[in-house]
Amino acid sequence: MTLEDKTSNLATNAAAASQAPQKSVFVKTFGCQMNVYDSERMSEALANDGYTATDDIAAADLVILNTCHIREKAAEKVYSDLGRIRQIKLAREKRGRSTVVAVTGCVAQAEGAEITARQSAVDLVIGPQSYHRLPDLIRRVEKSGERIVETEFPSEDKFKSLPGRAPPMRNPSAFLTVQEGCDKFCTFCVVPYTRGVEFSRPVAEIEAEARRLADLGARELTLLGQNVNAYHGIGPDGRPHSLASLIYQLSRIDGIVRLRYMTSHPRDMSDDLIEAHADTGKLMPFLHLPVQSGSNRILAAMNRKHTAAEYIGIIARVRRRRPDIALSSDFIVGFPGETDADFEQTLELVRAVTFAQAYSFKYSSRPGTPAANHEAQIPEEVKTERLTRLQELLDRQQSAFNAQSIGSVVPVLFERPGRRPGQLIGRSPYLQLVHAEAGSEMIGEIKEVTIRSATQLSLGGVIQAA
């Protein structure tokens, strides 16, 4: 699922800060939940170097854009921001204040030195596999004034080089990356080139981080990976463990009451993972399983390695074991060569499955991917018309899914204040946003809420009296 332009929450290490001059850092995160997690870990590493958070970019000694390269517009947003940051940097220089500008993440990995060539304000470009080196590289920039591009895939495990998880935690729902990279090589996707091949963290390392997050107040963990259900980390017994095995292990941690995972691939939806949805009470009844298209011809062209019928069959197996499961998916419309008939098959699949929510996009050509060179590119107006039709159907399904909650009582984990004073926002087990009148002391609590209203995007309810 995508999270646009989130400013990360930075941790403060008081002991380390007392040994170094205080500096401020502004971090802007583009894209997926894994980027949010990466920003958190970079922030914790920088806290050890005396950096504290600021929401005022003009006051920042260090500006980091943690980028996403999935779609063309996401990359262009980065360059647009860099133009504005350049003006801020020049204004600070006139006042005798220096600013280090770093571009991290997948755009950094994919475009490398092109970023420094295109935008003079950038001092450091660093790919997602090297962000554990960020403090050292920033010190090099500050000392020598050199502009650094670091996009190699290092041999060391970055996770082992990062500091431990640190407070504060403002949200009781935390992300935890367990797997990175992908070996599927879908023809539209840059992930294998920007994140590398599949890598799974050891079970013990993940468990230690999960326990630390629980100690810091996390109640819910979302296990992250580009292809998370391909997880095969080494367990204490020296053997590879599946995602289901990892979920069972983490479900034993006191304080963690909810578990989720994303993003999954249909080819890795194993029997034991399906069983975990039925057997593990802490694993929430929500599954994000991207299908991308309902046309077998387009799926083959995408190199998705599954058919529409196989996808529907997987959903049927999951629903047999967990009838109340809420389903989410990703769709790409206007993939090169997609005909009207291919698109109609996508609509048919959506009608057959029905989704609680979904993400849908027009195909965006990414340089270096096989689909970018396909001759049969679809006109923009055709892609727009198809996306509109698909989203109208998906929106109706999401509205219907939410509407059926009216009158029911659902457990809600409250996460943050709402827009209005006295209002809190939380999540149902089905990942629905729920708002209710409550005091801030209930953040981090799970309360039974009677649902009174529903829109396409959220539910409204009243907390049941104790």
Side-chain angles (χ1 to χ4, degrees), residues 95-347:
R95 302 195 305 271
R97 302 292 300 274
S98 62
T99 309
V100 174
V101 178
V103 179
T104 67
C106 292
V107 172
Q109 185 68 42
E111 303 196 8
E114 182 181 343
I115 297 173
T116 54
R118 185 170 169 179
Q119 179 49 258
S120 61
V122 177
D123 302 289
L124 173 61
V125 178
I126 181 170
Q129 301 308 321
S130 300
Y131 65 72
H132 58 294
R133 301 187 58 216
L134 183 62
D136 289 337
L137 293 172
I138 290 171
R139 285 193 291 269
R140 276 178 54 189
V141 169
E142 291 175 330
K143 183 177 181 180
S144 67
E146 65 179 311
R147 303 174 77 195
I148 299 173
V149 177
E150 179 61 71
T151 54
E152 297 297 320
F153 285 84
S155 58
E156 71 268 20
D157 181 351
K158 68 180 179 184
F159 294 101
K160 292 181 179 178
S161 303
L162 291 166
R165 303 308 304 267
M169 284 191 62
R170 299 179 184 178
N171 193 319
S173 181
F175 295 131
L176 174 52
T177 292
V178 303
Q179 182 272 343
E180 280 196 304
C182 186
D183 296 345
K184 296 297 189 292
F185 288 91
C186 297
T187 58
F188 57 82
C189 186
V190 297
V191 165
Y193 313 104
T194 59
R195 291 276 184 167
V197 298
E198 290 175 358
F199 166 77
S200 297
R201 299 174 66 188
V203 171
E205 183 181 314
I206 294 168
E207 183 177 358
E209 185 171 339
R211 290 187 181 279
R212 175 60 176 160
L213 288 169
D215 290 342
L216 292 172
R219 306 290 311 279
E220 175 181 275
L221 297 180
T222 299
L223 310 182
L224 301 178
Q226 266 89 26
N227 192 16
V228 69
N229 57 342
Y231 177 83
H232 55 275
I234 299 300
D237 57 2
R239 298 179 180 180
H241 282 230
S242 67
L243 180 62
S245 176
L246 178 65
I247 287 169
Y248 287 122
Q249 186 75 14
L250 298 181
S251 69
R252 302 187 182 102
I253 297 176
D254 291 337
I256 300 299
V257 295
R258 289 182 170 185
L259 291 169
R260 304 182 188 272
Y261 63 90
M262 62 176 59
T263 290
S264 304
H265 194 289
R267 296 299 293 175
D268 295 307
M269 200 66 204
S270 58
D271 290 339
D272 65 339
L273 185 55
I274 292 174
E275 287 301 312
H277 277 279
D279 298 339
T280 311
K282 291 186 178 182
L283 181 58
M284 293 295 96
F286 179 88
L287 174 62
H288 181 67
L289 191 65
V291 62
Q292 305 299 358
S293 174
S295 163
N296 290 339
R297 193 178 68 85
I298 296 301
L299 289 171
M302 290 176 168
N303 195 35
R304 286 292 290 170
K305 299 182 176 70
H306 64 83
T307 67
E310 287 171 340
Y311 182 88
I312 292 172
I314 292 167
I315 297 303
R317 287 162 51 207
V318 173
R319 280 177 163 156
R320 279 196 295 270
R321 299 300 294 130
R322 188 68 197 249
D324 66 331
I325 196 86
L327 297 172
S328 174
S329 193
D330 291 346
F331 294 90
I332 295 174
V333 302
F335 186 82
E338 182 187 69
T339 65
D340 288 341
D342 293 322
F343 175 67
E344 288 298 330
Q345 289 171 6
T346 295
L347 296 179

Side-chain angles (χ1 to χ4, degrees), residues 366-441:
R366 309 314 297 130
T369 60
N373 300 321
H374 199 293
E375 293 181 357
Q377 300 292 328
I378 305 300
E380 190 67 22
E381 61 271 18
V382 175
K383 289 192 286 188
T384 298
E385 188 272 337
R386 289 176 182 171
L387 182 63
T388 299
R389 290 176 60 196
L390 174 61
Q391 289 182 339
E392 287 174 350
L393 175 58
L394 291 169
D395 289 350
R396 289 196 299 271
Q397 291 188 350
Q398 183 173 5
S399 295
F401 181 82
N402 286 345
Q404 69 184 9
S405 299
I406 296 175
S408 65
V409 178
V410 298
V412 175
L413 172 60
F414 287 104
E415 299 177 352
R416 64 183 190 275
R419 293 182 178 179
R420 300 196 311 270
Q423 183 188 70
L424 293 186
I425 294 177
R427 297 274 183 179
S428 77
Y430 309 103
L431 207 64
Q432 298 155 299
L433 281 173
V434 182
H435 53 84
E437 301 300 316
S440 60
E441 71 278 0

